[in-house]
Amino acid sequence: MIEALKKHKVKTLTELCRIERAAATCEDPDEQQAFQEPLAGAWDYYVSSNQMLVELRGLSRNYPVSNTLVDTARQLVSGDFASTRSWNTAWLCLVKIRDAGLIHSCAQLEAERPEMWGGRYPSPEEVEQLSQCFIYEWTQAVDTMLRHWRVDPVWV
């Protein structure tokens, strides 16, 4: 498992969570230690390689998640001292998206883009309607992904 993590062969949220749970059940402290760096690296790669974005978009097919949402969360996490509480970049980004109101702000920005309206500038009502569609679908996608963790992946 450790070699698969190091070589970035594990590419889905479900697989990474499965390995994370297996690592958490190791009784030998040396075994637990052996998982820490590869697991942290795998989670970081999962986010930076856009695999998390791909999975979020798979969960939001009608109104695909904007890359701005994930990029903004990643920037905020990297600049947040509290992010040292976990090795799991994906979980930190998902929590940041949920708790920092990123869905609402990114949905608004995305709905205002003329590209979303065939090059024309939408009315405030149109922006609000599309924004609400984004908010609903993106919230569902983030909540679905966060359900993978029964316990927050934080250092004890």
Side-chain angles (χ1 to χ4, degrees), residues 8 52 64 133:
H8 305 297
M52 185 169 96
C133 293

Side-chain angles (χ1 to χ4, degrees), residues 61-127:
R61 291 179 194 222
N62 295 321
Y63 301 95
V65 166
S66 166
N67 63 315
T68 304
L69 183 66
V70 175
D71 293 345
T72 303
R74 189 155 192 251
Q75 287 174 341
L76 291 172
V77 164
S78 69
D80 185 1
F81 178 73
S83 68
T84 59
R85 73 182 194 258
S86 178
W87 60 88
N88 189 321
T89 308
W91 178 81
L92 289 165
C93 286
L94 291 166
V95 168
K96 187 65 76 175
I97 288 168
R98 182 192 66 198
D99 295 350
L102 296 182
I103 289 176
H104 284 61
S105 58
C106 286
Q108 181 75 27
L109 290 172
E110 197 72 12
E112 290 172 347
R113 291 180 43 229
E115 295 86 5
M116 299 300 287
W117 301 94
R120 70 174 179 81
Y121 289 91
S123 71
E125 294 80 20
E126 289 172 321
V127 169

Side-chain angles (χ1 to χ4, degrees), residues 20-40:
E20 188 174 65
R21 282 191 289 277
T25 62
C26 291
E27 293 182 18
D28 181 359
D30 291 335
E31 283 183 24
Q32 285 182 340
Q33 183 70 31
F35 272 102
Q36 285 181 1
E37 191 176 318
L39 197 51

Side-chain angles (χ1 to χ4, degrees), residues 3-4 8 16 18-19 29 33 51 64 74-75 82 87 90 96 98 112 119 130 133 136 138 151 154 156:
E3 281 306 308
H8 305 297
L16 285 166
R18 182 182 54 77
I19 292 173
Q33 183 70 31
Q51 186 59 37
R74 189 155 192 251
Q75 287 174 341
W87 60 88
K96 187 65 76 175
R98 182 192 66 198
E112 290 172 347
L130 182 56
C133 293
Y136 176 78
W138 297 358
V151 177
V154 296
V156 203

